[in-house]
Amino acid sequence: MSESTHTAAHEFKHSDVRTSILDDLALSRAELLVLTDEAAAMTTAGQRIREIGDFDMSLVGRIEVDGAMVHRSWQGTKSNALHRLVVPEGVGLGGKSIMLQKPVWVRDYLSDAGITHDFDALVAQEALRGMLAVPMVYEGRVLGAVYVGTREYSSFGDRVIAEIQSTAATAAVTLVSAQRAAAQTELAIEAERNRLAESLHDSVSPVLFRIGAELQSLRALGDAQAIHDRLQEITDQVHAVNASIRRSLTDLSARPPERELPVGIEEDCQSFALRTGIPARFVPLTESPDLDVSRVEALQRLVREALVNVEKHADASTVVVSLSVRSGRVTVVISDDGRGVDGADDPVRGSQLGLGLAAGRLERLGGGMSVVSDDESGTTVRGWVDAIDGSGA
């Protein structure tokens, strides 16, 4: 081997090592996100169980109101018939698996005598035949169920059932982890609220007490000038209370420049979830830099327009918005698990005017936007600008 060939091979080997390390890091980050995000956990579980037997379809449902399960994630469906379907315990295939806390399968869903047939019309829309449901159980508590299905008559062997049970058990652990992470976040927020409440109590309550005592003492004064002077003191105290309250409210609403974009995106996600009932999770992958107003507005406008499109067109069950900074570029990514954009419709230049306008604003700032969409993985909208601080440097 010549020296140049040896060197090239050596560099190629190191390149492979670096690529492997980067792939491992990316996988680790993805797994970490799954552990802190219920929607991501269910989507990952649905993808994995479908791959086990190359099944036509998979569903993941979660126990929610009154012990009923709601389908929250799906892969390979041809319609929205089974999307967000509410399944009471004991009803249908999934309801029976939850009730028995064990796998239940049918060779032909529509004719099997061992299950109820409340959902036959919906299953028929998907042309499903063979189906298997496996409950997700954590420490004796049923959290939901995973399903796989085929569009032909099928039986399910012990090996396949065991593999899907293993995936369901992993999904149960990640769901619990995500729920606990959300609970910790709520506890942190509640602790901050309590701290602010204590601060207001300690600063305002004593002044209000003094004002009340001063007003009571006025009854004993007969001198008009003394009453006037005391009223002036009370007025000053009232002004001091107002100023203290305003400072506290300013502290509550104020945010440093580097938090302007993350807080705005979080508020948009919460508004979207309240408006639509579709979970929308914001995942800041890195700290945001101090961006000038035009860049913050351009990126936030993109997020809003993408969320509006999800609401109107995607028929999605979950949305994840992420924010990252790399090599001086700030990127927001809006991903949904809906049905994707029609290939004949360019989402940037076509009928979705809002996204086109948002793309134009980013381009004027030297950034850009891309849209990747298909029926299997939904739509991902990515927008970026270079990070320039608020001073214009």
Side-chain angles (χ1 to χ4, degrees):
M1 179 183 295
S2 69
E3 182 179 351
S4 60
T5 303
H6 178 79
T7 301
H10 180 73
E11 291 177 351
F12 181 76
K13 179 180 178 181
H14 279 278
S15 176
D16 277 352
V17 171
R18 288 194 296 269
T19 301
S20 175
I21 291 172
L22 289 174
D23 287 344
D24 289 343
L25 288 172
L27 180 61
S28 298
R29 183 182 67 78
E31 294 297 331
L32 179 60
L33 291 180
V34 166
L35 287 172
T36 58
D37 190 312
E38 287 186 70
M42 289 188 287
T43 298
T44 299
Q47 292 170 341
R48 288 176 176 171
I49 61 174
R50 188 182 176 198
E51 292 167 356
I52 287 172
D54 193 24
F55 298 109
D56 293 320
M57 176 224 66
S58 67
L59 291 167
V60 181
R62 180 179 61 186
I63 300 291
E64 295 187 11
V65 182
D66 298 327
M69 177 172 63
V70 182
H71 294 169
R72 290 299 185 188
S73 182
W74 43 83
Q75 304 284 329
T77 55
K78 292 183 174 180
S79 71
N80 61 3
L82 300 176
H83 298 182
R84 291 182 284 276
L85 179 66
V86 178
V87 181
E89 182 177 318
V91 177
L93 186 73
K96 184 175 181 179
S97 76
I98 289 173
M99 180 180 68
L100 299 178
Q101 296 193 25
K102 68 178 185 180
V104 178
W105 65 270
V106 294
R107 187 170 184 272
D108 179 15
Y109 188 102
L110 298 179
S111 65
D112 193 280
I115 60 172
T116 71
H117 290 276
D118 302 67
F119 307 126
D120 278 9
L122 303 178
V123 172
Q125 287 188 49
E126 283 292 327
L128 292 169
R129 293 295 186 179
M131 289 186 68
L132 163 69
V134 176
M136 295 185 292
V137 183
Y138 181 82
E139 294 185 349
R141 180 165 64 99
V142 180
L143 305 180
V146 299
Y147 306 70
V148 291
T150 64
R151 294 187 172 90
E152 58 186 19
Y153 302 106
S154 299
S155 299
F156 297 86
D158 292 341
R159 183 190 63 79
V160 169
I161 293 174
E163 287 190 41
I164 293 178
Q165 280 184 295
S166 177
T167 301
T170 300
V173 173
T174 55
L175 279 176
V176 170
S177 173
Q179 290 166 358
R180 289 176 177 172
Q184 286 297 112
T185 300
E186 289 298 322
L187 287 174
I189 293 173
E190 187 62 30
E192 180 64 10
R193 287 173 179 161
N194 289 339
R195 185 190 68 78
L196 290 168
E198 290 175 3
S199 176
L200 282 172
H201 176 271
D202 293 344
S203 62
V204 174
S205 292
V207 179
L208 292 177
F209 178 80
R210 287 198 303 271
I211 290 173
E214 294 284 355
L215 290 173
Q216 290 290 335
S217 69
L218 286 177
R219 296 178 179 177
L221 296 176
D223 186 345
Q225 183 60 45
I227 293 175
H228 178 273
D229 293 343
R230 190 66 58 84
L231 285 174
Q232 184 59 50
E233 292 176 8
I234 294 173
T235 300
D236 293 341
Q237 291 173 4
V238 170
H239 288 161
V241 170
N242 284 335
S244 177
I245 292 175
R246 282 197 301 272
R247 284 193 299 272
S248 295
L249 292 175
T250 298
D251 290 341
L252 282 171
S253 60
R255 61 188 70 146
E258 67 274 10
R259 298 296 296 159
E260 189 74 25
L261 181 59
V263 171
I265 293 175
E266 177 64 33
E267 291 173 348
D268 288 338
C269 287
Q270 290 178 3
S271 297
F272 172 85
L274 289 173
R275 186 171 69 247
T276 66
I278 302 171
R281 180 66 60 87
F282 173 50
V283 182
L285 301 177
T286 58
E287 287 293 326
S288 176
D290 177 3
L291 295 173
D292 61 65
V293 174
S294 61
R295 283 168 170 74
V296 170
E297 290 180 349
L299 291 171
Q300 192 164 357
R301 175 67 63 86
L302 175 65
V303 172
R304 290 174 181 169
E305 293 296 342
L307 291 175
V308 167
N309 280 340
V310 173
E311 180 180 357
K312 290 182 177 179
H313 308 297
D315 189 31
S317 62
T318 57
V319 182
V320 177
V321 182
S322 65
L323 171 68
S324 62
V325 183
R326 183 178 180 184
S327 301
R329 171 172 287 183
V330 184
T331 302
V332 294
V333 179
I334 307 95
S335 299
D336 69 73
D337 61 357
R339 61 188 174 208
V341 177
D342 187 345
D345 181 20
D346 180 346
V348 180
R349 308 300 178 190
S351 62
Q352 298 181 36
L353 179 61
L355 276 183
L357 293 174
R361 176 175 290 198
L362 291 169
E363 289 168 1
R364 287 193 293 273
L365 293 169
M369 187 187 88
S370 68
V371 179
V372 178
S373 183
D374 61 59
D375 291 337
E376 290 297 322
S377 58
T379 300
T380 297
V381 178
R382 179 178 281 100
W384 62 87
V385 292
D386 289 334
I388 298 179
D389 64 32
S391 65

